Amino acid sequence: QEMLLGFQADLGGLSGDIRSLQEQSKNLGIQLRNRKDAELGLRCFLSKIVIPPNLADVICHGDVDGTFVDCVKDLNAKYEYVQQMEAEKKKEKKKAALEGEENGDEEDKYNDDIDDDEDDGDENSPITALIGIIPSKTKAANEMY
């Protein structure tokens, strides 16, 4: 009978270990699914904003032809996406600031980031962050003005 009690205790310990391993497996499965979802979202986002080297090369050094026009359209689509993201970000900040004012929170009341001014081509603009060039300081921009 003593041997059976020892065997029963060992089985109880193994049962606890199995439950623990099942819980760990479940948690790892959730983490893996979350990482795959994050990777998919990040891949989609990056495809919308990253300028491939061949696109930049065609625009900077290529002949002005159909390929050039297609590349400029792609670049414009990327720029518009970044502008849209920035506009949404400003709306969210403005909404948060207004909600803060309604709740008596003065912290965000005078936030310099919240303004409706158009992009004036400074070093902090989304296009500068996207391509690393200040638009108003390019040769093409100077010729436009």
Side-chain angles (χ1 to χ4, degrees):
Q1 189 174 9
E2 214 174 277
M3 196 165 97
L4 286 175
L5 288 175
F7 185 67
Q8 186 178 13
D10 289 344
L11 285 177
L14 288 175
S15 176
D17 289 345
I18 290 172
R19 272 188 244 121
S20 174
L21 288 172
Q22 285 175 331
E23 186 67 28
Q24 286 178 354
S25 174
K26 180 181 171 185
N27 289 339
L28 289 173
I30 291 170
Q31 287 178 350
L32 177 63
R33 187 174 60 243
N34 288 344
R35 287 181 181 170
K36 285 183 178 183
D37 291 346
E39 177 190 3
L40 180 63
L42 185 59
R43 185 182 310 136
C44 180
F45 175 74
L46 288 175
S47 71
K48 291 180 181 180
I49 66 165
V50 171
I51 300 170
N54 61 340
L55 185 132
D57 188 53
V58 168
I59 292 174
C60 292
H61 306 291
D63 295 332
V64 178
D65 57 8
T67 304
F68 176 85
V69 172
D70 291 340
C71 288
V72 170
K73 286 180 182 178
D74 287 348
L75 180 63
N76 190 49
K78 291 177 185 298
Y79 176 72
E80 287 176 0
Y81 179 76
V82 170
Q83 289 293 87
Q84 177 186 359
M85 296 300 287
E86 285 293 313
E88 289 174 11
K89 186 175 164 184
K90 282 184 179 182
K91 279 184 185 178
E92 289 173 8
K93 282 185 174 184
K94 186 176 264 188
K95 182 179 177 183
L98 291 174
E99 288 173 357
E101 285 179 19
E102 290 174 2
N103 296 331
D105 185 6
E106 298 290 324
E107 183 177 329
D108 289 329
K109 189 172 184 178
Y110 301 104
N111 191 341
D112 291 340
D113 292 339
I114 302 171
D115 62 332
D116 294 324
D117 296 340
E118 289 297 315
D119 178 26
D120 57 1
D122 68 351
E123 289 82 3
N124 298 320
S125 74
I127 190 66
T128 302
L130 189 63
I131 62 173
I133 300 171
I134 302 169
S136 63
K137 296 184 179 179
T138 62
K139 184 177 179 181
N142 289 335
E143 290 174 1
M144 289 173 56
Y145 299 108

